mmCIF file of all heavy atoms in Angstrom:
data_model
loop_
_atom_site.group_PDB
_atom_site.id
_atom_site.type_symbol
_atom_site.label_atom_id
_atom_site.label_comp_id
_atom_site.label_asym_id
_atom_site.label_seq_id
_atom_site.Cartn_x
_atom_site.Cartn_y
_atom_site.Cartn_z
ATOM 1 N N THR A 1 5.715 -6.915 1.808
ATOM 2 C CA THR A 1 5.769 -5.474 1.978
ATOM 3 C C THR A 1 5.577 -4.845 0.604
ATOM 4 O O THR A 1 6.362 -5.087 -0.301
ATOM 5 C CB THR A 1 7.110 -5.039 2.596
ATOM 6 O OG1 THR A 1 7.251 -5.682 3.867
ATOM 7 C CG2 THR A 1 7.177 -3.538 2.789
ATOM 8 N N PHE A 2 4.510 -4.056 0.483
ATOM 9 C CA PHE A 2 4.129 -3.497 -0.808
ATOM 10 C C PHE A 2 4.288 -1.984 -0.800
ATOM 11 O O PHE A 2 4.060 -1.333 0.218
ATOM 12 C CB PHE A 2 2.679 -3.871 -1.131
ATOM 13 C CG PHE A 2 2.479 -5.355 -1.273
ATOM 14 C CD1 PHE A 2 2.166 -6.131 -0.170
ATOM 15 C CD2 PHE A 2 2.636 -5.967 -2.497
ATOM 16 C CE1 PHE A 2 1.999 -7.501 -0.291
ATOM 17 C CE2 PHE A 2 2.477 -7.337 -2.637
ATOM 18 C CZ PHE A 2 2.156 -8.105 -1.520
ATOM 19 N N TYR A 3 4.656 -1.452 -1.962
ATOM 20 C CA TYR A 3 4.844 -0.013 -2.114
ATOM 21 C C TYR A 3 3.977 0.503 -3.255
ATOM 22 O O TYR A 3 3.853 -0.140 -4.298
ATOM 23 C CB TYR A 3 6.309 0.320 -2.422
ATOM 24 C CG TYR A 3 7.216 0.126 -1.240
ATOM 25 C CD1 TYR A 3 7.816 -1.100 -0.991
ATOM 26 C CD2 TYR A 3 7.463 1.171 -0.355
ATOM 27 C CE1 TYR A 3 8.649 -1.287 0.104
ATOM 28 C CE2 TYR A 3 8.291 0.998 0.739
ATOM 29 C CZ TYR A 3 8.884 -0.232 0.965
ATOM 30 O OH TYR A 3 9.690 -0.410 2.045
ATOM 31 N N GLY A 4 3.392 1.657 -3.017
ATOM 32 C CA GLY A 4 2.577 2.295 -4.032
ATOM 33 C C GLY A 4 2.672 3.801 -3.904
ATOM 34 O O GLY A 4 3.402 4.319 -3.058
ATOM 35 N N ARG A 5 1.913 4.479 -4.742
ATOM 36 C CA ARG A 5 1.941 5.940 -4.771
ATOM 37 C C ARG A 5 0.528 6.503 -4.634
ATOM 38 O O ARG A 5 -0.420 5.949 -5.171
ATOM 39 C CB ARG A 5 2.529 6.446 -6.090
ATOM 40 C CG ARG A 5 3.966 6.034 -6.328
ATOM 41 C CD ARG A 5 4.906 7.018 -5.736
ATOM 42 N NE ARG A 5 6.294 6.619 -5.985
ATOM 43 C CZ ARG A 5 7.332 7.251 -5.499
ATOM 44 N NH1 ARG A 5 7.144 8.322 -4.741
ATOM 45 N NH2 ARG A 5 8.550 6.844 -5.732
ATOM 46 N N THR A 6 0.450 7.615 -3.914
ATOM 47 C CA THR A 6 -0.804 8.353 -3.824
ATOM 48 C C THR A 6 -0.958 9.196 -5.090
ATOM 49 O O THR A 6 -0.033 9.280 -5.902
ATOM 50 C CB THR A 6 -0.815 9.307 -2.611
ATOM 51 O OG1 THR A 6 0.136 10.359 -2.848
ATOM 52 C CG2 THR A 6 -0.516 8.579 -1.314
ATOM 53 N N GLU A 7 -2.099 9.865 -5.204
ATOM 54 C CA GLU A 7 -2.307 10.734 -6.362
ATOM 55 C C GLU A 7 -1.322 11.901 -6.372
ATOM 56 O O GLU A 7 -1.082 12.506 -7.408
ATOM 57 C CB GLU A 7 -3.739 11.251 -6.408
ATOM 58 C CG GLU A 7 -4.092 12.165 -5.245
ATOM 59 C CD GLU A 7 -5.519 12.648 -5.311
ATOM 60 O OE1 GLU A 7 -5.849 13.409 -6.240
ATOM 61 O OE2 GLU A 7 -6.298 12.238 -4.442
ATOM 62 N N HIS A 8 -0.728 12.203 -5.226
ATOM 63 C CA HIS A 8 0.279 13.272 -5.151
ATOM 64 C C HIS A 8 1.691 12.715 -5.202
ATOM 65 O O HIS A 8 2.646 13.392 -4.833
ATOM 66 C CB HIS A 8 0.064 14.113 -3.887
ATOM 67 C CG HIS A 8 -1.238 14.833 -3.906
ATOM 68 N ND1 HIS A 8 -2.299 14.469 -3.102
ATOM 69 C CD2 HIS A 8 -1.677 15.852 -4.681
ATOM 70 C CE1 HIS A 8 -3.322 15.259 -3.366
ATOM 71 N NE2 HIS A 8 -2.969 16.095 -4.322
ATOM 72 N N PHE A 9 1.807 11.465 -5.620
ATOM 73 C CA PHE A 9 3.080 10.777 -5.855
ATOM 74 C C PHE A 9 3.872 10.496 -4.574
ATOM 75 O O PHE A 9 5.061 10.269 -4.594
ATOM 76 C CB PHE A 9 3.938 11.552 -6.870
ATOM 77 C CG PHE A 9 4.866 10.661 -7.639
ATOM 78 C CD1 PHE A 9 4.370 9.695 -8.490
ATOM 79 C CD2 PHE A 9 6.233 10.783 -7.507
ATOM 80 C CE1 PHE A 9 5.212 8.852 -9.191
ATOM 81 C CE2 PHE A 9 7.105 9.949 -8.203
ATOM 82 C CZ PHE A 9 6.580 8.986 -9.055
ATOM 83 N N ARG A 10 3.218 10.502 -3.430
ATOM 84 C CA ARG A 10 3.906 10.145 -2.191
ATOM 85 C C ARG A 10 4.001 8.623 -2.119
ATOM 86 O O ARG A 10 3.030 7.911 -2.395
ATOM 87 C CB ARG A 10 3.149 10.689 -0.994
ATOM 88 C CG ARG A 10 3.081 12.200 -0.975
ATOM 89 C CD ARG A 10 2.733 12.730 0.386
ATOM 90 N NE ARG A 10 2.243 14.064 0.477
ATOM 91 C CZ ARG A 10 2.725 15.158 -0.075
ATOM 92 N NH1 ARG A 10 3.751 15.072 -0.848
ATOM 93 N NH2 ARG A 10 2.191 16.344 0.118
ATOM 94 N N LEU A 11 5.168 8.143 -1.717
ATOM 95 C CA LEU A 11 5.407 6.709 -1.600
ATOM 96 C C LEU A 11 4.761 6.185 -0.315
ATOM 97 O O LEU A 11 4.934 6.776 0.756
ATOM 98 C CB LEU A 11 6.914 6.432 -1.575
ATOM 99 C CG LEU A 11 7.350 4.976 -1.584
ATOM 100 C CD1 LEU A 11 6.929 4.282 -2.884
ATOM 101 C CD2 LEU A 11 8.864 4.887 -1.406
ATOM 102 N N VAL A 12 4.015 5.086 -0.443
ATOM 103 C CA VAL A 12 3.322 4.494 0.705
ATOM 104 C C VAL A 12 3.721 3.027 0.824
ATOM 105 O O VAL A 12 3.744 2.295 -0.159
ATOM 106 C CB VAL A 12 1.784 4.590 0.540
ATOM 107 C CG1 VAL A 12 1.070 3.906 1.701
ATOM 108 C CG2 VAL A 12 1.355 6.049 0.441
ATOM 109 N N LYS A 13 4.021 2.632 2.055
ATOM 110 C CA LYS A 13 4.420 1.259 2.369
ATOM 111 C C LYS A 13 3.314 0.588 3.185
ATOM 112 O O LYS A 13 2.809 1.175 4.135
ATOM 113 C CB LYS A 13 5.712 1.299 3.192
ATOM 114 C CG LYS A 13 6.172 -0.023 3.746
ATOM 115 C CD LYS A 13 7.430 0.187 4.590
ATOM 116 C CE LYS A 13 7.870 -1.058 5.286
ATOM 117 N NZ LYS A 13 9.083 -0.847 6.088
ATOM 118 N N VAL A 14 2.970 -0.641 2.781
ATOM 119 C CA VAL A 14 1.987 -1.436 3.518
ATOM 120 C C VAL A 14 2.550 -2.838 3.686
ATOM 121 O O VAL A 14 3.015 -3.451 2.720
ATOM 122 C CB VAL A 14 0.639 -1.499 2.763
ATOM 123 C CG1 VAL A 14 -0.284 -2.534 3.388
ATOM 124 C CG2 VAL A 14 -0.028 -0.141 2.753
ATOM 125 N N VAL A 15 2.517 -3.333 4.912
ATOM 126 C CA VAL A 15 2.923 -4.709 5.187
ATOM 127 C C VAL A 15 1.657 -5.536 5.296
ATOM 128 O O VAL A 15 0.731 -5.180 6.029
ATOM 129 C CB VAL A 15 3.760 -4.810 6.481
ATOM 130 C CG1 VAL A 15 4.136 -6.249 6.768
ATOM 131 C CG2 VAL A 15 5.001 -3.925 6.383
ATOM 132 N N ARG A 16 1.636 -6.619 4.552
ATOM 133 C CA ARG A 16 0.435 -7.459 4.500
ATOM 134 C C ARG A 16 0.830 -8.900 4.786
ATOM 135 O O ARG A 16 1.739 -9.432 4.164
ATOM 136 C CB ARG A 16 -0.188 -7.347 3.113
ATOM 137 C CG ARG A 16 -1.532 -7.989 3.013
ATOM 138 C CD ARG A 16 -2.134 -7.652 1.668
ATOM 139 N NE ARG A 16 -3.564 -7.898 1.713
ATOM 140 C CZ ARG A 16 -4.276 -8.183 0.652
ATOM 141 N NH1 ARG A 16 -3.714 -8.246 -0.530
ATOM 142 N NH2 ARG A 16 -5.557 -8.392 0.750
ATOM 143 N N LYS A 17 0.142 -9.534 5.709
ATOM 144 C CA LYS A 17 0.397 -10.937 6.029
ATOM 145 C C LYS A 17 -0.100 -11.808 4.875
ATOM 146 O O LYS A 17 -1.105 -11.487 4.234
ATOM 147 C CB LYS A 17 -0.320 -11.322 7.320
ATOM 148 C CG LYS A 17 0.161 -10.556 8.520
ATOM 149 C CD LYS A 17 -0.675 -10.900 9.731
ATOM 150 C CE LYS A 17 -0.289 -9.990 10.878
ATOM 151 N NZ LYS A 17 -1.304 -9.936 11.896
ATOM 152 N N PRO A 18 0.572 -12.929 4.615
ATOM 153 C CA PRO A 18 0.148 -13.804 3.515
ATOM 154 C C PRO A 18 -1.314 -14.245 3.646
ATOM 155 O O PRO A 18 -2.022 -14.343 2.655
ATOM 156 C CB PRO A 18 1.083 -15.004 3.615
ATOM 157 C CG PRO A 18 2.249 -14.543 4.400
ATOM 158 C CD PRO A 18 1.765 -13.427 5.291
ATOM 159 N N GLU A 19 -1.773 -14.458 4.871
ATOM 160 C CA GLU A 19 -3.154 -14.910 5.069
ATOM 161 C C GLU A 19 -4.193 -13.801 4.787
ATOM 162 O O GLU A 19 -5.388 -14.058 4.709
ATOM 163 C CB GLU A 19 -3.359 -15.486 6.479
ATOM 164 C CG GLU A 19 -3.095 -14.521 7.612
ATOM 165 C CD GLU A 19 -1.652 -14.531 8.135
ATOM 166 O OE1 GLU A 19 -0.739 -15.039 7.454
ATOM 167 O OE2 GLU A 19 -1.453 -14.013 9.233
ATOM 168 N N ASP A 20 -3.709 -12.555 4.630
ATOM 169 C CA ASP A 20 -4.621 -11.448 4.348
ATOM 170 C C ASP A 20 -5.028 -11.379 2.875
ATOM 171 O O ASP A 20 -5.890 -10.580 2.522
ATOM 172 C CB ASP A 20 -3.985 -10.114 4.748
ATOM 173 C CG ASP A 20 -3.856 -9.979 6.251
ATOM 174 O OD1 ASP A 20 -4.585 -10.670 6.981
ATOM 175 O OD2 ASP A 20 -3.014 -9.178 6.689
ATOM 176 N N GLY A 21 -4.402 -12.176 2.046
ATOM 177 C CA GLY A 21 -4.795 -12.185 0.641
ATOM 178 C C GLY A 21 -3.602 -12.120 -0.291
ATOM 179 O O GLY A 21 -2.460 -12.068 0.143
ATOM 180 N N PRO A 22 -3.896 -12.089 -1.586
ATOM 181 C CA PRO A 22 -2.833 -12.097 -2.591
ATOM 182 C C PRO A 22 -2.117 -10.752 -2.688
ATOM 183 O O PRO A 22 -2.431 -9.807 -1.968
ATOM 184 C CB PRO A 22 -3.577 -12.422 -3.885
ATOM 185 C CG PRO A 22 -4.950 -11.894 -3.660
ATOM 186 C CD PRO A 22 -5.219 -12.077 -2.186
ATOM 187 N N SER A 23 -1.232 -10.673 -3.630
ATOM 188 C CA SER A 23 -0.438 -9.479 -3.885
ATOM 189 C C SER A 23 -1.310 -8.248 -4.103
ATOM 190 O O SER A 23 -2.408 -8.324 -4.651
ATOM 191 C CB SER A 23 0.422 -9.713 -5.128
ATOM 192 O OG SER A 23 1.060 -8.524 -5.524
ATOM 193 N N LEU A 24 -0.798 -7.108 -3.698
ATOM 194 C CA LEU A 24 -1.480 -5.832 -3.918
ATOM 195 C C LEU A 24 -1.045 -5.167 -5.225
ATOM 196 O O LEU A 24 -1.649 -4.182 -5.650
ATOM 197 C CB LEU A 24 -1.184 -4.868 -2.762
ATOM 198 C CG LEU A 24 -1.742 -5.229 -1.398
ATOM 199 C CD1 LEU A 24 -1.216 -4.255 -0.346
ATOM 200 C CD2 LEU A 24 -3.259 -5.219 -1.427
ATOM 201 N N VAL A 25 -0.016 -5.694 -5.862
ATOM 202 C CA VAL A 25 0.540 -5.062 -7.060
ATOM 203 C C VAL A 25 -0.533 -4.907 -8.132
ATOM 204 O O VAL A 25 -1.235 -5.848 -8.484
ATOM 205 C CB VAL A 25 1.753 -5.853 -7.603
ATOM 206 C CG1 VAL A 25 2.257 -5.244 -8.908
ATOM 207 C CG2 VAL A 25 2.862 -5.896 -6.567
ATOM 208 N N GLY A 26 -0.661 -3.685 -8.611
ATOM 209 C CA GLY A 26 -1.642 -3.378 -9.639
ATOM 210 C C GLY A 26 -3.003 -2.993 -9.102
ATOM 211 O O GLY A 26 -3.901 -2.651 -9.870
ATOM 212 N N LEU A 27 -3.178 -3.026 -7.799
ATOM 213 C CA LEU A 27 -4.475 -2.704 -7.200
ATOM 214 C C LEU A 27 -4.487 -1.293 -6.616
ATOM 215 O O LEU A 27 -3.462 -0.788 -6.160
ATOM 216 C CB LEU A 27 -4.809 -3.691 -6.080
ATOM 217 C CG LEU A 27 -4.893 -5.160 -6.450
ATOM 218 C CD1 LEU A 27 -5.226 -5.981 -5.223
ATOM 219 C CD2 LEU A 27 -5.912 -5.380 -7.554
ATOM 220 N N PHE A 28 -5.675 -0.707 -6.602
ATOM 221 C CA PHE A 28 -5.920 0.532 -5.859
ATOM 222 C C PHE A 28 -6.511 0.134 -4.515
ATOM 223 O O PHE A 28 -7.350 -0.765 -4.441
ATOM 224 C CB PHE A 28 -6.949 1.415 -6.579
ATOM 225 C CG PHE A 28 -6.376 2.263 -7.661
ATOM 226 C CD1 PHE A 28 -6.511 1.885 -8.980
ATOM 227 C CD2 PHE A 28 -5.726 3.453 -7.367
ATOM 228 C CE1 PHE A 28 -6.008 2.671 -10.004
ATOM 229 C CE2 PHE A 28 -5.218 4.255 -8.375
ATOM 230 C CZ PHE A 28 -5.362 3.858 -9.698
ATOM 231 N N ALA A 29 -6.102 0.832 -3.462
ATOM 232 C CA ALA A 29 -6.663 0.571 -2.139
ATOM 233 C C ALA A 29 -6.708 1.875 -1.349
ATOM 234 O O ALA A 29 -5.903 2.776 -1.568
ATOM 235 C CB ALA A 29 -5.828 -0.464 -1.393
ATOM 236 N N THR A 30 -7.672 1.953 -0.453
ATOM 237 C CA THR A 30 -7.723 3.069 0.489
ATOM 238 C C THR A 30 -6.845 2.685 1.666
ATOM 239 O O THR A 30 -7.014 1.615 2.268
ATOM 240 C CB THR A 30 -9.164 3.319 0.973
ATOM 241 O OG1 THR A 30 -9.983 3.551 -0.170
ATOM 242 C CG2 THR A 30 -9.228 4.514 1.902
ATOM 243 N N ILE A 31 -5.905 3.547 1.975
ATOM 244 C CA ILE A 31 -4.921 3.286 3.026
ATOM 245 C C ILE A 31 -5.030 4.348 4.105
ATOM 246 O O ILE A 31 -5.110 5.540 3.816
ATOM 247 C CB ILE A 31 -3.484 3.303 2.441
ATOM 248 C CG1 ILE A 31 -3.357 2.313 1.276
ATOM 249 C CG2 ILE A 31 -2.446 3.041 3.527
ATOM 250 C CD1 ILE A 31 -3.645 0.873 1.636
ATOM 251 N N LYS A 32 -5.035 3.907 5.365
ATOM 252 C CA LYS A 32 -4.999 4.839 6.508
ATOM 253 C C LYS A 32 -3.533 5.018 6.883
ATOM 254 O O LYS A 32 -2.838 4.057 7.237
ATOM 255 C CB LYS A 32 -5.784 4.267 7.685
ATOM 256 C CG LYS A 32 -5.692 5.109 8.934
ATOM 257 C CD LYS A 32 -6.973 5.808 9.209
ATOM 258 C CE LYS A 32 -6.832 6.705 10.415
ATOM 259 N NZ LYS A 32 -8.043 6.868 11.131
ATOM 260 N N ILE A 33 -3.052 6.233 6.793
ATOM 261 C CA ILE A 33 -1.647 6.538 7.071
ATOM 262 C C ILE A 33 -1.449 6.648 8.584
ATOM 263 O O ILE A 33 -2.157 7.396 9.258
ATOM 264 C CB ILE A 33 -1.217 7.852 6.383
ATOM 265 C CG1 ILE A 33 -1.503 7.808 4.872
ATOM 266 C CG2 ILE A 33 0.252 8.161 6.674
ATOM 267 C CD1 ILE A 33 -0.831 6.716 4.102
ATOM 268 N N TYR A 34 -0.482 5.875 9.107
ATOM 269 C CA TYR A 34 -0.226 5.926 10.548
ATOM 270 C C TYR A 34 1.188 6.381 10.894
ATOM 271 O O TYR A 34 1.491 6.662 12.066
ATOM 272 C CB TYR A 34 -0.510 4.573 11.211
ATOM 273 C CG TYR A 34 0.429 3.463 10.837
ATOM 274 C CD1 TYR A 34 1.655 3.303 11.476
ATOM 275 C CD2 TYR A 34 0.092 2.554 9.843
ATOM 276 C CE1 TYR A 34 2.523 2.281 11.128
ATOM 277 C CE2 TYR A 34 0.948 1.530 9.500
ATOM 278 C CZ TYR A 34 2.157 1.394 10.137
ATOM 279 O OH TYR A 34 3.014 0.387 9.779
#
């Protein structure tokens, strides 16, 4: 479960399965908010 911030400093949570790839820490990603 990874946490990051949007450009407006909103906290965003993403759950990623281990098989989906390595850690997201330090990466930028486009996220669809649900």
Side-chain angles (χ1 to χ4, degrees):
T1 301
F2 297 89
Y3 288 89
R5 298 272 181 185
T6 68
E7 65 181 293
H8 296 108
F9 208 64
R10 297 198 199 312
L11 185 64
V12 177
K13 173 183 174 180
V14 169
V15 178
R16 189 172 198 206
K17 297 175 187 161
E19 60 269 17
D20 291 338
S23 171
L24 293 173
V25 176
L27 301 180
F28 277 101
T30 303
I31 305 300
K32 175 108 183 210
I33 305 301
Y34 68 84

